[in-house]
Structures are given as structure tokens and as C-alpha cells.
Amino acid sequence: MFYTIRGLLEERGVPLAQTAYAACASEMLDFRIASGDFYEMPNLAEGVLRFKNTANICSFDQLAAILPGLKNIDLRRHEIYPFCVANLDLIAKALEETPEDVCVEGGPCLFGDHEVTGVVTLTSGRVCRFDYACGKRYVDGSSDVYGEGLDDSEADLASFVCAHADEVSDIRFESYKTGLTRQEYLHVILPFAFASALDVPLVMTLPDMSYRRYLEYASRFLPDRMAQNVMASFDEVLYGISDLYLEQIELLREHYKPRRLAVVHNRNTELVRAFEEKRRPHIERNKVLRYLTTNAAKLESIKDYISMPALPLYLFGTQTILEINSMDETDSYRKCRRAHKGSATFGCVLFPEMLSADGENTLYCAPVQYKEYGDYKYIVGWETP
């Protein structure tokens, strides 16, 4: 579904003039936000919409009024985007009183739907294709249409491999990703831009270790030699995509020169080891784990996602963390904040998912022909949609 601030206000019968958005740009009020219907206005007197009972929707000027350092940020046309924010007053207080104890954290999803396909061949000669990002199985012969009504053991990649492990003869992977989308570029540049504007350290996370965990779970059911070959085949695709981001991060590092930078990804084994070890007291608890998922194949990856915002705490000992991420990560932010209650203070600035060229899907979900890959090697600034 798509929502706009103007439309949400009209549905509630709240006049624009009586809200916090009266002076906002029309483009921001009419920006199409792709999400579920998780909006409310808990306090009519304040006139502010809230998303998932976690973050308030505001304009860039409104968030910059709380964090004045952002007023000189080098992002073009930032006035047209709505943001979901939380605890910015606590971030502002820490920047004033203990700026050395503030850090920005952020990072992209490595690839979206229709970009990486897992091709499973059985000894019978049967071939099944799966979208790796969402796990769903494609209709035979299709590259962008998912099968519907399939048995649970047939519907997603991990379940299929587990159910047919004794029949699998080969699993290979195909990548159709040739660059970064505008959404992915925002995931990389925005944490740099915010950290630079606020003059604080930055932790960037490339979750390739998390993408591997889903396949590692299914591979346990395969013969050892085959499992090793499957993981090696996937790593070749995965690390090729990670390198696109690492190249962009290096260019942005040279431009922004952050006060301190850590880039967490699977080939940086020292940081990954620290990540896995230092999160255990916070994540490996029944009251945290029971709320995560009933899908065993996804559990380890989800543990990663809900602990990534806390990486500045794990790596630097930072206790005030500003997460810069997509609205799609609202749940992960909320769960991370809950799991680390008493150990760190978390604020967030979450931006919406961008629409693709088809006007119907976000860039993450769109078929490859609508991804609009770009070359951002010499571009600094926020590209308009």
C-alpha cells in the first residue's frame, strides 16, 4: 500500500493547518510512502503522525531544528522527503553534553527481490528457481513471478532444500545485479552525511554474513562436500555484490573523512567475531528470542538485524547511537532498543523506500528492468527520485 501525509490527515479528518505539517513542502506532504497501515496520531494537540507506535513523521527541517548540525548537510532536495524519527531530543542532549559518546550506525540491504536467483537441480532432472532475497519460488520458466499456493516444503528455498536434501544434485546462483539503486545509494551516503554533519564516528554494516546464514542453515542437510561447494558458489556472487558497496564506501570515506569509521562485513573477520561475541548477553535471552521468528532458517539472520544498530556499543563502547536507515527497519530498531535497554540510548532517522520506474513497486521489490541502477562513483549528494 501507498500512503501520503496529506492523505493520512484527510482520512482522520484533521485539517493540515492544525498539524505540525502546515508549513511543509507540498512534495513532502504528497510523497508516496510504501508501507503497511501502521499510522496513528496519538496526540491531536501535537498534530504529529506516528509510525508503528515507534517513530514520529517529520520533515527534514523539523529534524534539523532538533539536531542543528544537520542544517549544513549536503543532501539535495531534502525538503521533499518525510522521515520517521525517535529520541532525537536524547541525541541532541548527548551531542551537547557528551559528544564523544555519540555514534551513527547504518548500512544497506545488499540486494533485493529479483536480483539473485538460486537454481536447485534434483537427481530426477527437475529444476526449481528461487528468489534469494525473499526465498520464494518462481513459477517454472519465470524470472519475476512467484508461485502461489505451494506446499510449505516447496514454497521457499531453505524449506525446499531441507525437504529434498537427499535428491539435490546441484545448487547454483545467478546474479542480475549490475550496480546500486538510488535506494541503496541512500543507505550508504546518508550515514556518512549525518555522521559528518554531527561530527561523530560512524559504523557501516554490510550484512553479507546475514545473507549467508539463511543458506548455511539449509546446507547442513546436504552432504559435506556439496554444502561446501554450494556456499562457495554463493560467496562468489555475494562478495561480488559486497564489493560494489565497499568501493562506494571508500569513495565516501575519502570525501567525508569521518572522525572514526568501522565497516563490518563478513570478510572483516575480527569485527564480525566481536559483533557475535558482544551481542550475546543482550540477544541470547529467552525474552528476546521468543519474539523474533518461528522460522528456524531465518533466526540467525534476524538476530543479526536486531543487533546491528548496537554495533557502536559493541565496537567503540558508545552508549548514544543514532541509527540512519529505512522505514522498513523500524521493527529491528525497536527490538534492538528493547534488547539493549539500560546499556545504550538509541535514536533513529528512518527514510522511506523509493518507488521504481514502474510506479508500482519499491526499488527493492521491483523486477530488474525497473531497478534503475546508477553509477555513483563521482556523485556526492542525495539524488532525487
Side-chain angles (χ1 to χ4, degrees):
M1 294 290 292
F2 294 99
Y3 299 88
T4 67
I5 292 175
R6 195 189 304 277
L8 289 166
L9 296 178
E10 290 176 352
E11 288 175 8
R12 288 158 176 75
V14 180
L16 177 63
Q18 296 178 17
T19 71
Y21 310 111
C24 293
S26 293
E27 295 98 327
M28 182 264 199
L29 297 174
D30 296 320
F31 191 99
R32 295 174 67 196
I33 305 172
S35 72
D37 186 8
F38 303 116
Y39 300 91
E40 60 181 346
M41 184 172 282
N43 189 328
L44 287 175
E46 294 180 0
V48 176
L49 290 163
R50 182 171 295 171
F51 183 63
K52 289 194 170 183
N53 197 31
T54 298
N56 292 339
I57 300 178
C58 72
S59 69
F60 184 86
D61 286 344
Q62 288 167 335
L63 74 89
I66 304 172
L67 301 177
L70 300 179
K71 291 181 178 178
N72 296 320
I73 205 165
D74 62 340
L75 299 174
R76 295 194 285 272
R77 302 201 67 199
H78 47 64
E79 73 279 359
I80 76 172
Y81 300 93
F83 295 86
C84 288
V85 305
N87 288 344
L88 294 192
D89 56 335
L90 300 180
I91 302 297
K93 181 180 180 182
L95 285 169
E96 183 177 338
E97 297 178 356
T98 56
E100 70 283 356
D101 192 40
V102 181
C103 185
V104 165
E105 187 278 334
C109 293
L110 292 186
F111 53 84
D113 294 351
H114 310 299
E115 293 188 293
V116 174
T117 300
V119 183
V120 182
T121 302
L122 303 183
T123 52
S124 65
R126 180 185 177 196
V127 177
C128 297
R129 299 168 62 83
F130 297 83
D131 186 300
Y132 193 89
C134 67
K136 293 181 180 179
R137 183 173 159 191
Y138 287 116
V139 173
D140 291 346
S142 173
S143 61
D144 57 14
V145 178
Y146 300 128
E148 299 292 342
L150 297 171
D151 180 85
D152 287 347
S153 66
E154 300 278 323
D156 72 273
L157 176 60
S159 297
F160 186 89
V161 172
C162 293
H164 297 276
D166 58 346
E167 305 171 61
V168 173
S169 65
D170 182 56
I171 302 177
R172 60 185 175 84
F173 299 91
E174 300 170 349
S175 174
Y176 308 102
K177 188 173 183 62
T178 58
L180 304 187
T181 66
R182 286 177 290 114
Q183 185 78 35
E184 292 162 343
Y185 179 60
L186 291 184
H187 273 281
V188 181
I189 190 174
L190 285 183
F192 272 96
F194 273 70
S196 176
L198 299 176
D199 193 24
V200 298
L202 170 63
V203 175
M204 286 292 297
T205 311
L206 300 182
D208 48 5
M209 76 292 286
S210 310
Y211 280 65
R212 295 182 87 256
R213 296 192 203 280
Y214 175 74
L215 184 61
E216 281 180 322
Y217 176 87
S219 294
R220 299 172 193 170
F221 296 86
L222 299 173
D224 289 346
R225 177 62 63 85
M226 181 182 293
Q228 293 172 6
N229 291 338
V230 167
M231 293 307 302
S233 174
F234 182 63
D235 284 345
E236 184 176 357
V237 169
L238 181 67
Y239 294 148
I241 293 173
S242 291
D243 286 342
L244 295 175
Y245 290 97
L246 291 171
E247 181 180 3
Q248 189 68 58
I249 286 170
E250 180 59 22
L251 291 170
L252 292 171
R253 183 194 65 78
E254 293 176 2
H255 174 78
Y256 284 107
K257 297 179 172 57
R259 177 179 289 272
R260 187 178 184 185
L261 173 65
V263 183
V264 180
H265 60 97
N266 200 55
R267 287 171 288 177
N268 191 329
T269 55
E270 181 179 350
L271 292 186
V272 171
R273 189 180 304 113
F275 173 43
E276 294 172 342
E277 290 177 355
K278 294 187 178 182
R279 76 181 187 190
R280 285 175 187 157
H282 305 280
I283 303 300
E284 301 294 338
R285 296 182 291 156
N286 285 336
K287 72 175 185 178
V288 174
L289 297 176
R290 67 186 177 186
Y291 293 113
L292 298 187
T293 183
T294 58
N295 187 328
K298 295 182 178 180
L299 178 60
E300 293 303 319
S301 297
I302 292 175
K303 286 182 187 178
D304 286 351
Y305 294 135
I306 70 162
S307 51
M308 284 173 184
L311 271 162
L313 171 66
Y314 306 151
L315 302 183
F316 300 159
T318 304
Q319 294 184 310
T320 306
I321 300 166
L322 178 61
E323 183 184 11
I324 310 298
N325 218 315
S326 162
M327 286 176 63
D328 279 0
E329 300 303 322
T330 302
D331 290 337
S332 294
Y333 162 78
R334 184 182 67 249
K335 291 175 182 179
C336 182
R337 188 175 66 185
R338 181 189 302 150
H340 295 81
K341 186 176 181 180
S343 298
T345 296
F346 294 86
C348 68
V349 175
L350 310 177
F351 51 92
E353 292 286 316
M354 304 298 164
L355 288 182
S356 71
D358 66 5
E360 299 177 1
N361 294 288
T362 62
L363 284 164
Y364 183 93
C365 296
V368 171
Q369 62 267 33
Y370 299 117
K371 297 285 189 185
E372 301 177 275
Y373 297 123
D375 182 356
Y376 300 102
K377 293 179 181 177
Y378 304 104
I379 299 175
V380 174
W382 192 345
E383 289 296 282
T384 57

